[in-house]
PDB file of all heavy atoms in Angstrom:
ATOM      1  N   LEU X  26       7.435  -8.786 -13.596  1.00 98.00           N
ATOM      2  CA  LEU X  26       8.651  -8.940 -12.806  1.00 98.00           C
ATOM      3  C   LEU X  26       9.912  -8.708 -13.606  1.00 98.00           C
ATOM      4  O   LEU X  26       9.948  -8.939 -14.819  1.00 98.00           O
ATOM      5  CB  LEU X  26       8.693 -10.344 -12.172  1.00 98.00           C
ATOM      6  CG  LEU X  26       7.535 -10.656 -11.218  1.00 98.00           C
ATOM      7  CD1 LEU X  26       6.540 -11.596 -11.881  1.00 98.00           C
ATOM      8  CD2 LEU X  26       8.016 -11.244  -9.907  1.00 98.00           C
ATOM      9  N   ALA X  41      16.078 -14.595 -18.013  1.00 96.00           N
ATOM     10  CA  ALA X  41      14.857 -13.796 -18.117  1.00 96.00           C
ATOM     11  C   ALA X  41      13.993 -14.259 -19.285  1.00 96.00           C
ATOM     12  O   ALA X  41      12.759 -14.360 -19.160  1.00 96.00           O
ATOM     13  CB  ALA X  41      15.210 -12.318 -18.269  1.00 96.00           C
ATOM     14  N   LYS X 122      10.259  -9.057   5.945  1.00 98.00           N
ATOM     15  CA  LYS X 122      10.888 -10.381   5.835  1.00 98.00           C
ATOM     16  C   LYS X 122       9.854 -11.363   5.312  1.00 98.00           C
ATOM     17  O   LYS X 122       8.777 -11.521   5.888  1.00 98.00           O
ATOM     18  CB  LYS X 122      11.389 -10.842   7.207  1.00 98.00           C
ATOM     19  CG  LYS X 122      12.223 -12.116   7.164  1.00 98.00           C
ATOM     20  CD  LYS X 122      13.578 -11.827   6.590  1.00 98.00           C
ATOM     21  CE  LYS X 122      14.533 -13.005   6.741  1.00 98.00           C
ATOM     22  NZ  LYS X 122      15.871 -12.685   6.225  1.00 98.00           N
ATOM     23  N   ILE X 127      11.463 -21.109   3.068  1.00 98.00           N
ATOM     24  CA  ILE X 127      10.984 -22.183   2.196  1.00 98.00           C
ATOM     25  C   ILE X 127      12.071 -22.473   1.166  1.00 98.00           C
ATOM     26  O   ILE X 127      12.718 -21.549   0.665  1.00 98.00           O
ATOM     27  CB  ILE X 127       9.647 -21.802   1.507  1.00 98.00           C
ATOM     28  CG1 ILE X 127       9.114 -22.966   0.680  1.00 98.00           C
ATOM     29  CG2 ILE X 127       9.786 -20.515   0.673  1.00 98.00           C
ATOM     30  CD1 ILE X 127       7.685 -22.771   0.194  1.00 98.00           C
ATOM     31  N   PRO X 130      12.748 -25.071  -4.501  1.00 96.00           N
ATOM     32  CA  PRO X 130      11.901 -25.993  -5.271  1.00 96.00           C
ATOM     33  C   PRO X 130      10.480 -26.070  -4.720  1.00 96.00           C
ATOM     34  O   PRO X 130       9.517 -26.181  -5.480  1.00 96.00           O
ATOM     35  CB  PRO X 130      12.615 -27.341  -5.141  1.00 96.00           C
ATOM     36  CG  PRO X 130      14.015 -27.010  -4.778  1.00 96.00           C
ATOM     37  CD  PRO X 130      13.924 -25.763  -3.952  1.00 96.00           C
ATOM     38  N   GLN X 134       6.892 -24.911  -6.519  1.00 96.00           N
ATOM     39  CA  GLN X 134       5.802 -25.872  -6.641  1.00 96.00           C
ATOM     40  C   GLN X 134       4.563 -25.492  -5.836  1.00 96.00           C
ATOM     41  O   GLN X 134       3.569 -26.213  -5.855  1.00 96.00           O
ATOM     42  CB  GLN X 134       6.282 -27.253  -6.189  1.00 96.00           C
ATOM     43  CG  GLN X 134       7.399 -27.822  -7.056  1.00 96.00           C
ATOM     44  CD  GLN X 134       8.202 -28.900  -6.349  1.00 96.00           C
ATOM     45  OE1 GLN X 134       7.794 -29.405  -5.297  1.00 96.00           O
ATOM     46  NE2 GLN X 134       9.356 -29.249  -6.908  1.00 96.00           N
ATOM     47  N   GLY X 135       4.618 -24.372  -5.116  1.00 96.00           N
ATOM     48  CA  GLY X 135       3.478 -23.962  -4.312  1.00 96.00           C
ATOM     49  C   GLY X 135       3.459 -24.554  -2.920  1.00 96.00           C
ATOM     50  O   GLY X 135       2.433 -24.511  -2.235  1.00 96.00           O
ATOM     51  N   PRO X 140       0.753 -31.415   7.311  1.00 94.00           N
ATOM     52  CA  PRO X 140       0.106 -32.611   7.851  1.00 94.00           C
ATOM     53  C   PRO X 140      -1.407 -32.467   8.002  1.00 94.00           C
ATOM     54  O   PRO X 140      -2.146 -33.441   7.874  1.00 94.00           O
ATOM     55  CB  PRO X 140       0.787 -32.779   9.216  1.00 94.00           C
ATOM     56  CG  PRO X 140       2.128 -32.160   9.034  1.00 94.00           C
ATOM     57  CD  PRO X 140       1.907 -30.995   8.123  1.00 94.00           C
ATOM     58  N   PHE X 211      17.477 -24.358  17.889  1.00 91.00           N
ATOM     59  CA  PHE X 211      17.923 -24.619  16.527  1.00 91.00           C
ATOM     60  C   PHE X 211      17.688 -26.096  16.225  1.00 91.00           C
ATOM     61  O   PHE X 211      17.627 -26.927  17.137  1.00 91.00           O
ATOM     62  CB  PHE X 211      19.411 -24.294  16.347  1.00 91.00           C
ATOM     63  CG  PHE X 211      19.733 -22.834  16.392  1.00 91.00           C
ATOM     64  CD1 PHE X 211      20.082 -22.225  17.589  1.00 91.00           C
ATOM     65  CD2 PHE X 211      19.689 -22.063  15.247  1.00 91.00           C
ATOM     66  CE1 PHE X 211      20.393 -20.868  17.633  1.00 91.00           C
ATOM     67  CE2 PHE X 211      19.996 -20.706  15.285  1.00 91.00           C
ATOM     68  CZ  PHE X 211      20.343 -20.112  16.479  1.00 91.00           C
TER      69      PHE X 211
END
Side-chain angles (χ1 to χ4, degrees):
L26 299 105
K122 188 73 170 182
I127 184 169
Q134 297 159 13
F211 290 92

